[in-house]
Amino acid sequence: MKNFTSVDDVQDLEGLLSLAKIIKAAPFSHPEKGRNKTIGLLFFNPSLRTRLSTQKAALNLGMNAIVMNLNTEGWSLEFEDGAVMDGTSAEHVKEAAQVVSQYCDIIAIRSFPTLTDKEKDEEEYVISAFLKYASVPVISLEGSTEHPLQAVADALTIEEYKKTDRPKVVLTWAPHPKALPHAVPNSFVKMMKKVNVDFVIAHPEGYSLNQKFIAGVTVTHNQDEAFANADFIYAKNWSSYDDYGKILSTDPSWTVTPEKMALTNDAKFMHCLPVRRNMIVTDAVLDSEASIVIPQANNRTFAAQAILTKILDNEQ
Ligand code: CP
């Protein structure tokens, strides 16, 4: 694997999930693999899980990890080719990516969307620029449109907790007070299309995800109907895609409650975290046996370690 910026970069998903399981059983088995290698973790946005789990994964492999909050600690970067840099940007990504490539053997980047400029967001202008100008592998720590490391951890979690060969998995929109990106649901949809599940998306009118991602997936505006016989409920908020970046609803009837969970086949509750309690999901569900959000977050380390292993080995 050269780069990992999309779920599509995984050629052998079964092999990757098997590797993640092996790593989880013995995470310190290959402390030499990353010896004398450095990963640079560049954050344009906040993080708890992605930052710590990817750093831990790198350390487990014997790598050095350098973390930098570029938005607060670095020069403001310019991304436009040919720009006359007479504004606030002090450095062009063309130099920055080449310079960081001399310090790091892998560059990993978190860059959220603007949620105001759809075209720019869909170009993944930050990650695309690093892919263009860096001379080392690039990993997405969540871009404008995808969060592939999260999706690998999600697939691993479903694999571990499923009780049937083909579980029913529901991705449900849930209310949130702020406009959130589409990266987590997009990558989750991509991932669910690759694994053996009966997959349904539930959201209110106006919250369709990009057709590019959801083509061929069953979509309903009836959350109760979607929850019937579900084995996994994956809750997530996202802002409108069609009315780009807007909040069209905060309807509390979409909050995941014990009554909603009672419609399911004793389903497990999943969320990528961070989660707004009693907006997305009630305390009663999040604190119940049904919730697997903590082991799901734990799997972020093993997903990241599997991806780093593939990149270090230059294997698909
Ligand atoms: N799920 C996730 O990416 O969490 P962080 O934003 O805390 O990294």
Side-chain angles (χ1 to χ4, degrees), residues 43 45-53 110 112 141-142 147 150 184 234 271-274 297 300:
F43 286 85
N45 310 96
S47 170
L48 187 150
R49 280 143 290 273
T50 306
R51 176 169 171 164
L52 297 182
S53 64
R110 166 162 284 197
F112 288 173
L141 300 173
E142 186 172 347
H147 193 354
Q150 180 68 52
V184 169
Y234 195 117
H271 189 281
C272 61
L273 303 181
R300 292 294 307 275

Side-chain angles (χ1 to χ4, degrees), residues 12 26 36 77 158 171 188 211 215 258 267 273 277 290 304-305:
D12 172 15
N36 297 333
L77 293 185
I158 289 172
L171 170 64
F188 187 68
Q211 284 299 325
L273 303 181
R277 283 175 173 259
Q305 201 167 326

Side-chain angles (χ1 to χ4, degrees), residues 4 12 44 48 80 83-84 88 103 110 115 225 232 249 258 297 304:
F4 182 66
D12 172 15
F44 288 91
L48 187 150
E80 202 180 305
V84 177
T88 53
Y103 306 148
R110 166 162 284 197
L115 289 183
E225 193 179 276
F232 293 90
S249 170

Side-chain angles (χ1 to χ4, degrees), residues 152-201:
V152 174
D154 296 340
L156 177 62
T157 309
I158 289 172
E159 181 67 23
E160 287 175 338
Y161 282 87
K162 71 182 185 186
K163 287 182 279 190
T164 60
D165 283 346
R166 187 175 164 78
K168 179 175 177 183
V169 177
V170 177
L171 170 64
T172 182
W173 180 94
H176 194 282
K178 290 180 70 179
L180 294 190
H182 309 97
V184 169
N186 283 345
S187 282
F188 187 68
V189 171
K190 269 193 177 177
M191 186 58 83
M192 289 304 100
K193 287 167 91 168
K194 286 176 182 286
V195 295
N196 186 27
V197 296
D198 173 14
F199 184 49
V200 177
I201 303 174

